[in-house]
Amino acid sequence: MKRIGSTAWRVEVSDDGRLFSLGVRTEAGREYEVMLGTVDSTPILSDLLSEMTRVHQTLPPRTFEPGAGPHHPKSQPLHPMSSRVEHHNGVPIIVHDFGGTILKVRIDPEELRQSLLRHEETPSEQA
């Protein structure tokens, strides 16, 4: 188990990539294990992230202490097997394939362009 704050978690993936389990230990000490197939994982992950987005849209922007959350030294970007841009109902989306789990993220091309420009203008701050 790995600890993040007061919560512990573990992920195991079968050798054929068809099944994975997510184990979570709560603050109360109870441990739960969820078995997911790669076919099932996309709707579960999409629903979870969509619900998190819905809730956090009504809250003030989240800030993290130094060394916590995305600033944690072990926090690393995800590396999908492949990525591509598609259109869904006329809206551009980025499709990330993690080897059986597909994550589709709606994008605003202008917002993405502005963000990339800011990144190119200040590369020394990103290092």
Side-chain angles (χ1 to χ4, degrees), residues 92-123:
I93 59 172
I94 294 178
V95 180
H96 295 295
D97 183 349
F98 292 96
T101 296
I102 306 294
L103 181 62
K104 297 180 178 182
V105 181
R106 183 172 43 197
I107 58 172
D108 177 344
E110 187 55 34
E111 183 181 346
L112 181 60
R113 193 174 0 265
Q114 292 299 321
S115 182
L116 288 171
L117 281 173
R118 282 192 303 273
H119 178 73
E120 290 172 0
E121 292 170 359
T122 57

Side-chain angles (χ1 to χ4, degrees), residues 16-113:
D16 63 4
R18 294 183 174 274
L19 189 70
F20 68 93
S21 66
L22 172 65
V24 179
R25 186 180 304 141
T26 66
E27 292 179 6
R30 292 186 176 173
E31 186 172 330
Y32 298 92
E33 187 163 9
V34 181
M35 300 292 287
L36 301 168
T38 53
V39 174
D40 300 331
S41 63
T42 300
I44 290 172
L45 183 60
S46 298
D47 289 350
L48 175 64
L49 292 174
S50 293
E51 188 65 15
M52 288 172 64
T53 300
R54 184 191 66 76
V55 169
H56 283 274
Q57 281 177 333
T58 63
L59 301 172
R62 180 88 191 263
T63 58
F64 295 92
E65 297 293 323
H71 307 303
H72 190 279
K74 291 187 178 179
S75 177
Q76 297 293 321
L78 297 175
H79 298 283
M81 291 174 57
S82 66
S83 297
R84 63 187 180 277
V85 175
E86 295 181 355
H87 281 79
H88 180 73
N89 296 330
V91 177
I93 59 172
I94 294 178
V95 180
H96 295 295
D97 183 349
F98 292 96
T101 296
I102 306 294
L103 181 62
K104 297 180 178 182
V105 181
R106 183 172 43 197
I107 58 172
D108 177 344
E110 187 55 34
E111 183 181 346
L112 181 60
R113 193 174 0 265

